[in-house]
Amino acid sequence: MDLKELAANALAQNKKAALLVGAAGAALLGFGLGYKYMRKPEKAVRVGVVSQILIHPLKSGKAVPVSVAECQKMGLKSGELEDRHWLVVTEEGNMVTARQEPRLVLVSLSCRGGHAYLNGPDMEELKFPVKQPDNPILNCRVFSKDIKGRDCGDEASHWLTSYFGDEKTLRLVHFEPEMKPRRPAESEPLFPKFEQVAYPDYGPVMLLSEASVKDLSSKLDQEVTTERFRPSIVIGDCEPFDEDSWEEIQIGSVRLQRVMSCGRCIMTTVDPETGMMSRKEPLETLKSYRLCKPSEKHLYKKAPLFGQLHTVKKTGILHVGDEVYKITR
């Protein structure tokens, strides 16, 4: 083969390679454009405004209203306060809530300057360090699921035992960052398997609207407040039970994903102002018009539905006054 033929063959090979590269590029471009137009764009529709942000540092304890909070994967945080990161337990490690001790709703736990403060009716304020690394880590149980907690010391134990006037000894524990969280999916299969919480019943965020509470109050002899239902985020400027249909919402930079409704129990009959349990209202009225569909009885059984449990898809900062947007595609 002479030099002229070699040159012709090289040119032909280069043209073939160029055509193949061009065809592949066109295919990729076509796929990208196709994906772009096949993927449905998001649409954000304003559905309300954040009217309250409530952190419950102590499970079943008094709510702490805040104007700004971090919305983290495991719930709300404001300064040193983290939602449901403190827990009252028996000496055996079993959780104690307002279901067993209704007056727990009157106990407040606050934090400042590296110290926690316990307050309750007719009790002197107790101050103790948040971090007590020399204290033992206790094995605890929340709804029969194992979880750890750092014991908060004998003074906190004596305070709680004295407050409730029980013969049994109670202790206070604190969930620390390095401890293994609980997985809600172990109790409620609708939750994603990777979701984690400390001491909440299930989800990291519970959302409820003011209008739903007003609707319930209109059916009762005595009005109830949002605090009775212990939500994390309260939404205003919407219609009753609109929150039932918000599958995905955006609040500022925070993105929340609805998982399921919140099935209500005897704890709703505890008055957050008096610590008295009626064992009847507003639970009975809720049962009269807020039961689940027959197809969902395996999830909720006979519990009436009030409020929505969410997971945190995107963390960020929440403010009272933030507008709430429902995301559709």
Side-chain angles (χ1 to χ4, degrees):
M1 185 179 292
D2 59 19
L3 186 61
K4 188 176 181 180
E5 287 178 315
L6 284 171
N9 283 337
L11 181 62
Q13 289 295 326
N14 286 339
K15 283 184 178 179
K16 185 177 179 182
L19 286 171
L20 287 171
V21 170
L28 285 171
L29 178 62
F31 177 78
L33 290 172
Y35 177 74
K36 177 181 178 182
Y37 289 106
M38 285 172 61
R39 185 180 60 182
K40 294 181 180 178
E42 287 187 352
K43 182 180 179 182
V45 179
R46 185 189 182 279
V47 290
V49 63
V50 176
S51 61
Q52 283 181 285
I53 300 172
L54 300 172
I55 294 180
H56 300 81
L58 174 62
K59 186 175 179 65
S60 278
K62 205 173 184 68
V64 178
V66 297
S67 58
V68 183
E70 297 177 54
C71 189
Q72 302 182 330
K73 284 288 186 181
M74 288 177 58
L76 301 187
K77 182 178 186 294
S78 178
E80 297 175 78
L81 291 179
E82 294 184 81
D83 194 74
R84 293 166 175 94
H85 271 52
W86 279 264
L87 175 71
V88 178
V89 296
T90 64
E91 282 191 295
E92 296 75 31
N94 295 313
M95 73 171 184
V96 176
T97 71
R99 298 170 183 88
Q100 299 85 32
E101 297 285 359
R103 291 177 63 242
L104 186 51
V105 301
L106 305 179
V107 175
S108 67
L109 188 150
S110 58
C111 294
R112 56 186 182 275
H115 285 84
Y117 297 81
L118 275 177
N119 281 281
D122 303 319
M123 296 291 292
E124 288 189 16
E125 181 178 76
L126 177 69
K127 173 184 175 182
F128 57 93
V130 171
K131 294 181 180 179
Q132 302 188 65
D134 295 332
N135 286 3
I137 295 175
L138 305 183
N139 294 315
C140 308
R141 281 165 299 284
V142 175
F143 295 111
S144 301
K145 301 300 179 184
D146 293 334
I147 190 167
K148 304 290 186 182
R150 176 81 67 181
D151 187 85
C152 293
D154 289 339
E155 285 189 345
S157 174
H158 293 153
W159 192 98
L160 288 166
T161 304
S162 175
Y163 174 72
F164 290 111
D166 290 339
E167 294 180 3
K168 59 186 177 184
T169 299
L170 299 177
R171 304 201 71 85
L172 181 68
V173 298
H174 179 218
F175 183 85
E176 297 177 338
E178 66 275 8
M179 293 177 178
K180 183 180 178 181
R182 287 166 45 245
R183 293 188 180 273
E186 293 177 1
S187 302
E188 290 293 346
L190 288 183
F191 276 89
K193 290 182 179 179
F194 55 81
E195 282 299 320
Q196 298 178 330
V197 293
Y199 302 137
D201 284 6
Y202 298 112
V205 173
M206 202 278 279
L207 184 143
L208 182 64
S209 74
E210 289 180 342
S212 298
V213 178
K214 288 179 181 177
D215 181 86
L216 172 60
S217 287
S218 70
K219 297 172 170 58
L220 299 169
D221 293 333
Q222 187 173 351
E223 290 187 355
V224 291
T225 62
T226 54
E227 284 81 4
R228 182 179 289 248
F229 305 99
R230 314 184 67 76
S232 312
I233 305 170
V234 182
I235 307 300
D237 196 23
C238 65
E239 294 300 313
F241 308 110
D242 274 359
E243 65 269 29
D244 295 359
S245 64
W246 304 339
E247 293 299 320
E248 190 173 343
I249 58 174
Q250 184 85 27
I251 308 173
S253 60
V254 174
R255 182 68 66 96
L256 301 177
Q257 178 70 55
R258 178 187 175 274
V259 177
M260 62 188 298
S261 298
C262 187
R264 294 303 181 165
C265 68
I266 196 73
M267 204 167 143
T268 58
T269 72
V270 178
D271 187 331
E273 299 300 321
T274 66
M276 301 291 290
M277 179 187 284
S278 72
R279 308 192 71 85
K280 186 176 180 182
E281 293 294 2
L283 191 60
E284 292 303 314
T285 297
L286 280 173
K287 287 180 179 179
S288 72
Y289 77 120
R290 289 293 298 170
L291 292 178
C292 68
K293 301 172 185 176
S295 60
E296 296 178 324
K297 279 192 175 181
H298 66 289
L299 291 173
Y300 304 110
K301 300 177 176 62
K302 295 182 180 179
L305 312 181
F306 202 65
Q308 300 297 321
L309 298 172
H310 288 252
T311 57
V312 181
K313 287 186 73 174
K314 186 179 179 184
T315 61
I317 305 298
L318 295 172
H319 301 81
V320 169
D322 279 349
E323 293 187 321
V324 181
Y325 294 90
K326 178 174 73 171
I327 304 300
T328 58
R329 291 177 177 83

